[in-house]
Each structure stands twice: as C-alpha cells, then as structure tokens.
C-alpha cells in the first residue's frame, strides 16, 4: 500500500477562495489527497477566518481529482442525519474519493447553539449513537430513533453505490482503543514516535488492526528555523494544549488567555519545526513505519505557497517509493 500525502486546508487561517487555490496548487505539486478542517470559530482572532467546510469541499473536489476528507462532530450543530446527507451527497458526486472522520467535538464550535456542553463520556456516547444512525441511513433504512438524538422517519433518498468510510478521530490512547471497535479507520495527530506508537497499538488492540490510519501532521516549514518557529507561534500557540483543555474552551478569547504565557520555544514539542527538508523527510518516514497510509500535512504558518513548492520539489519525491509496512 502506497502512502498518500494530503494537503490540509485550514479554514481557520485562510478564506475559502484562497484555500481553493492552494489545494489546486498542491495537486500540481504532487500531493495525492486533500483534507479540510471544520470550524465555526477560529482558534484565535489572529487566524481570523472560518469558512463553511462542506460547501468548500464540493468546490475543491470538482476543481481537483484528489480524494478528500473532513473531520466533524455530530451534535447540536450537525444532527447526524444532516451529516449522513452531506457525506452521501459528496460520495455520490465523487465516488470513492470522500471519507469523514467523526469526533466528540470541541466547545468552541458546538456551544454556539446554546445547548448544554456534555461531559466527555456523554459526548462519546453521542458520537457512537451518531455513527449507528449514519450507517443505518447509508444502508437505505428508514430511521426512527429516540435517545441522545431524536430521529423521525429519516431516509436518504440520494445515496452513493457504497457505504462511505467513517473514521474515528482520537487523540488519547483510551479513545483510540475505543474507536478501534467501531470505526472504519483512525484519524489522529502527530506527536513523538513513542507516544504515537501507543495510540496505534491501542487502536489495533481495540479491533483496528488492518484498518486504514490517517495522521494529521502539524509542522512549520520556512527558510530558517527561527522563521518557522515564529510562524508557528503566531498562528498556532492557542492549539498546543491537551485535548481535555481544548475541548472545553468556548471562544478565541479564552484560548488566547490560556496561551498568554506560551513562549516561542514552547512550540518545539508540539509542532514539527524545521527549515531542514531532510529532517521533515525523516519525521514522515517514522510515521510511515508506524503504518499510517495517509499523512495529512498541515503547515501551520501562513507561508503556504513556499511550503507547497518545497515539499513538492523535495519531500514528496523522496518518499513516493516508500510503502506502508505489511504488518499493519
């Protein structure tokens, strides 16, 4: 199995029209997949954007030939029936090119409806209930359901000829093991190899062995290490906290307050910061050795064109012949 390298479109940082240009540029540079964030608010006012990802995905997939993915959280903002309809529509228009990763959500996006923000165990229960509803709709069933969600006489009249894959988004070892029992694949985020290996092992232990795994790699590349670090600090310092913290804060202002004591050097352990393309190649090879078959590259600073060109010229060609180990 060959590894796919996805360009991540960060709607929190760029206008949708700009991201459309970037993903087309990424395809020409040699990226083989696309990825989209899905926010209602940015992580900070410095980022300052938050386009509607589902509208953008239709445009991006029409403008490129790339397979694409998005991560979202079923809940008050997106009832699972609406998630199912959105996924089914994109999958019907672009067969075998679209997948969705579902997670338990973050308050910054989901509390806009005014609903109570549940505890993590309740959010997990809500997520699994959503998956069951969505899969029933994909199967053509008429769904009636009463639980954390209410569904009455729901049926998808437009469906693709296959059931689109549903990945589970997991940060912690505990969540990774749990999603291994029900998800079609894993989506997680980059961290040191020894920590990432524990997440992979947990996913396998929970039932995920042999299923595809996607890794969102948060990196910062620039002409110098200092520029790369400063760019990461300016754009991404509100994002370096544990998932238990990020999930609870409701506004960019709260995240800015949490990040007020973060220093540029604190970014080093949270984002892969380097001006050395060989270093980025080695980091990505380490990821591939763990069995990830899609690496979603998110350059967290604002210099996207420079990143796309450099990785297209040097990094992707160096890795294009490498394969995912067969043991996964």
């Amino acid at each position: 199995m060959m590894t796919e390298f996805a360009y991540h479109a960060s709607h929190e940082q760029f206008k949708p029209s700009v991201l459309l240009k970037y993903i087309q540029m990424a395809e020409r540079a040699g990226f083989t997949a696309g990825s989209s964030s899905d926010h209602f608010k940015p992580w900070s006012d410095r980022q300052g954007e938050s386009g509607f990802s589902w509208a953008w995905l239709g445009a991006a997939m029409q403008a490129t030939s790339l397979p694409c993915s998005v991560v979202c959280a079923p809940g008050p903002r997106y009832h699972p029936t609406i998630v199912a309809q959105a996924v089914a529509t994109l999958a019907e228009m672009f067969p075998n090119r679209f997948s969705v990763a579902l997670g338990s959500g973050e308050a910054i996006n989901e509390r806009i409806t005014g609903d109570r923000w549940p505890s993590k165990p309740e959010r997990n229960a809500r997520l699994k209930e959503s998956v069951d509803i969505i899969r029933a709709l994909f199967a053509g069933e008429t769904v009636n359901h009463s639980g954390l969600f209410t569904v009455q006489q729901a049926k998808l009249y437009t469906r693709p000829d296959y059931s689109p894959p549903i990945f589970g988004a997991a940060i912690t070892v505990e969540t990774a093991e749990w999603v291994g029992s029900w998800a079609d694949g894993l989506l997680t985020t980059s961290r040191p190899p020894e920590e990432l290996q524990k997440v992979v092992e947990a996913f396998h232990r929970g039932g995920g062995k042999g299923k595809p795994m996607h890794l969102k790699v948060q990196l910062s590349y620039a002409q110098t290490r200092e520029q790369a670090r400063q760019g990461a600090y300016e754009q991404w310092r509100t994002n370096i906290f544990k998932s238990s913290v990020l999930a609870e804060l409701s506004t960019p202002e709260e995240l800015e307050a949490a990040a007020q004591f973060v220093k540029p050097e604190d970014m080093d352990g949270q984002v892969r910061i380097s001006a050395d393309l060989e270093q980025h190649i080695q980091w990505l090879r380490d990821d591939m050795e763990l069995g990830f078959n899609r690496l979603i590259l998110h350059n967290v600073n604002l210099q996207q064109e420079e990143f796309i060109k450099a990785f297209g010229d040097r990094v992707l060609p160096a890795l294009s012949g490498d394969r995912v180990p067969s043991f996964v």
Side-chain angles (χ1 to χ4, degrees):
M1 183 185 300
M2 301 299 293
T3 305
E4 295 178 313
F5 296 93
Y7 173 77
H8 181 69
S10 178
H11 287 276
E12 308 93 288
Q13 296 176 277
F14 301 97
K15 294 183 184 300
S17 57
V18 175
L19 287 173
L20 188 59
K21 179 184 73 172
Y22 287 155
I23 198 167
Q24 291 173 296
M25 184 182 301
E27 182 178 36
R28 292 194 298 270
F31 285 79
T32 53
S35 164
S36 172
S37 62
D38 179 56
H39 268 237
F40 193 85
K41 300 175 185 176
W43 295 105
S44 71
D45 286 337
R46 280 184 317 282
Q47 292 176 346
E49 299 290 343
S50 205
F52 186 52
S53 62
W54 294 94
W56 181 85
L57 280 160
M61 296 181 76
Q62 177 64 27
T64 71
S65 62
L66 300 176
C68 287
S69 62
V70 68
V71 57
C72 78
R77 184 167 66 112
Y78 290 139
H79 193 278
T81 56
I82 302 305
V83 174
Q85 186 183 31
V87 173
T89 296
L90 286 170
E92 194 282 330
M93 288 194 297
F94 308 106
N96 299 305
R97 284 179 54 196
F98 185 66
S99 63
V100 64
L102 302 182
S104 60
E106 292 145 340
I108 193 169
N109 300 308
E110 311 310 326
R111 291 188 70 179
I112 59 169
T113 62
D115 289 63
R116 177 182 63 86
W117 182 239
S119 65
K120 176 63 171 173
E122 186 177 340
R123 298 201 308 273
N124 280 352
R126 185 173 69 181
L127 171 59
K128 182 56 171 63
E129 191 172 300
S130 297
V131 171
D132 293 341
I133 292 167
I134 292 167
R135 283 191 169 135
L137 290 167
F138 285 169
E141 298 176 21
T142 297
V143 178
N144 291 284
H145 178 85
S146 180
L148 296 172
F149 294 101
T150 299
V151 183
Q152 294 183 350
Q153 294 292 306
K155 180 179 179 179
L156 287 182
Y157 286 86
T158 296
R159 295 182 293 121
D161 295 332
Y162 66 101
S163 184
I166 298 175
F167 283 63
I171 303 297
T172 66
V173 166
E174 294 76 16
T175 303
E177 183 169 358
W178 174 63
V179 302
S181 68
W182 56 261
D184 297 319
L186 171 71
L187 171 68
T188 190
T189 58
S190 56
R191 65 205 77 178
E194 60 277 9
E195 295 180 26
L196 199 53
Q197 182 169 358
K198 292 177 182 177
V199 171
V200 170
E201 290 172 350
F203 179 65
H204 288 173
R205 188 166 58 246
K209 192 170 180 63
K211 297 178 181 179
M213 299 189 300
H214 295 178
L215 178 68
K216 183 174 181 285
V217 177
Q218 294 172 169
L219 64 95
S220 186
Y221 168 77
Q223 288 297 308
T224 69
R225 177 176 172 78
E226 184 52 40
Q227 289 173 343
R229 177 190 275 174
Q230 189 61 32
Y233 176 72
E234 289 173 357
Q235 283 290 300
W236 215 246
R237 66 177 178 267
T238 50
N239 300 63
I240 69 170
F241 308 108
K242 291 183 177 180
S243 59
S244 58
V245 175
L246 289 175
E248 299 299 326
L249 300 179
S250 298
T251 65
E253 292 76 17
E254 289 179 5
L255 285 157
E256 288 281 14
Q260 64 180 310
F261 299 114
V262 174
K263 300 182 290 294
E265 55 268 29
D266 296 331
M267 303 301 297
D268 291 353
Q270 308 298 322
V271 176
R272 294 178 181 177
I273 298 172
S274 181
D276 182 358
L277 293 172
E278 291 299 323
Q279 175 65 78
H280 285 288
I281 290 169
Q282 186 55 57
W283 278 327
L284 294 171
R285 281 207 170 108
D286 291 342
D287 298 331
M288 294 165 70
E289 282 299 313
L290 289 173
F292 289 98
N293 63 298
R294 181 179 293 180
L295 301 179
I296 300 167
L297 308 186
H298 179 196
N299 185 53
V300 303
N301 67 54
L302 295 179
Q303 307 309 312
Q304 297 299 296
E305 294 188 23
E306 182 178 343
F307 155 70
I308 291 169
K309 184 177 188 309
F311 273 59
D313 287 346
R314 292 271 307 281
V315 176
L316 302 187
L319 298 170
S320 62
D322 293 2
R323 293 178 175 270
V324 176
S326 59
F327 64 80
V328 301

